[in-house]
Amino acid sequence: MNAEACGLIILGHTKFGENSVVVHTLSEKFGRRGFLVRTGKKAPMSLFLPMNIIEAEVRENPKSTLWYAGGFSLRHPLSGIRGNISKNTIAMFLAEVLFRAVREGAADEGLFHFCERSILTLDTLGSDYANFHLMFLLELAGVMGFAPTFDSIAPFAGDYLKPIRTLMEIPFPEALAMPLSGSARSGICSSLLRYLEYYSETPLNVRSLDVLREVFA
């Protein structure tokens, strides 16, 4: 099968043999899918950082559901993220949430474009991004088809219903700048993950959440 050009958002990678990795991605056409990649000078591991947006040539493997990818190039350098440990941690968290919440093979053009816009927004923010992951989770739920309402979020919110309602009501720039303690931000994040887990019917168990808590304590 001929190679096909494709934009990919990197969600993670898994080592596969001595010189290869399976790169977990989200794309406009193929949804969440893993591609077998031979690493080396033409495919350095720096290309596969979480939430990188790359161009690639993908090719179907007739003998397996694991397709091949090569011919990589960065669509966006994301210099505002890669030079900032806090933004890098957010990107790692977003990538893991997407990897765990989105079912493999489910193509969703709107989801890809939402994620691309979100990561480019994070890249350009100079300040007030400590709440970015909270707004991403709220918006992701909507893109996936179960946007929270005050009634639907309440069973998951616990003591954090009031700040969650405020985040849902105010404009995005104000939500990013909304003052929250580290413990409140962590509690809200856990509440939103429980909401996503329930409505996506998928266990999330996001391990990078602990790292995020340390960065924004």
Side-chain angles (χ1 to χ4, degrees), residues 121 125 131-132 135-136 139 167 170-178:
T121 298
L125 288 173
N131 298 339
F132 185 88
M135 298 308 297
F136 179 89
E139 293 182 350
L167 289 171
I170 62 179
F172 185 80
E174 293 179 26
L176 291 181
M178 179 175 161

Side-chain angles (χ1 to χ4, degrees), residues 138-161:
L138 284 169
E139 293 182 350
L140 175 63
V143 174
M144 293 182 68
F146 37 86
T149 64
F150 297 149
D151 290 337
S152 68
I153 198 71
F156 306 91
D159 296 333
Y160 303 102
L161 181 58

Side-chain angles (χ1 to χ4, degrees), residues 95-148:
E96 187 179 358
V97 169
L98 290 166
F99 176 75
R100 298 187 183 280
V102 180
R103 288 187 174 90
E104 188 166 6
D108 188 331
E109 180 179 338
L111 177 60
F112 176 85
H113 291 300
F114 159 71
C115 293
E116 184 176 38
R117 288 194 305 271
S118 295
I119 202 66
L120 292 178
T121 298
L122 177 62
D123 187 58
T124 58
L125 288 173
S127 59
D128 292 334
Y129 47 78
N131 298 339
F132 185 88
H133 59 295
L134 305 180
M135 298 308 297
F136 179 89
L137 293 177
L138 284 169
E139 293 182 350
L140 175 63
V143 174
M144 293 182 68
F146 37 86

Side-chain angles (χ1 to χ4, degrees), residues 38-52:
R38 295 193 180 280
T39 55
K41 291 183 179 180
K42 293 184 178 180
M45 292 306 297
S46 59
L47 280 170
F48 309 126
L49 294 173
M51 298 304 282
N52 263 2

Side-chain angles (χ1 to χ4, degrees), residues 5-19:
C6 185
L8 304 174
I9 296 175
I10 304 298
L11 305 184
H13 62 270
T14 306
K15 189 171 177 60
F16 190 90
E18 289 298 317
N19 302 306

Side-chain angles (χ1 to χ4, degrees), residues 3-8 35 54-58 68-73 75:
E4 180 176 353
C6 185
L8 304 174
F35 293 96
I54 66 175
E55 299 285 350
E57 295 180 351
V58 304
Y68 303 106
F72 301 104
S73 62
R75 180 181 288 186

Side-chain angles (χ1 to χ4, degrees), residues 171-187:
F172 185 80
E174 293 179 26
L176 291 181
M178 179 175 161
L180 290 168
S181 67
S183 61
R185 190 175 290 114
S186 176

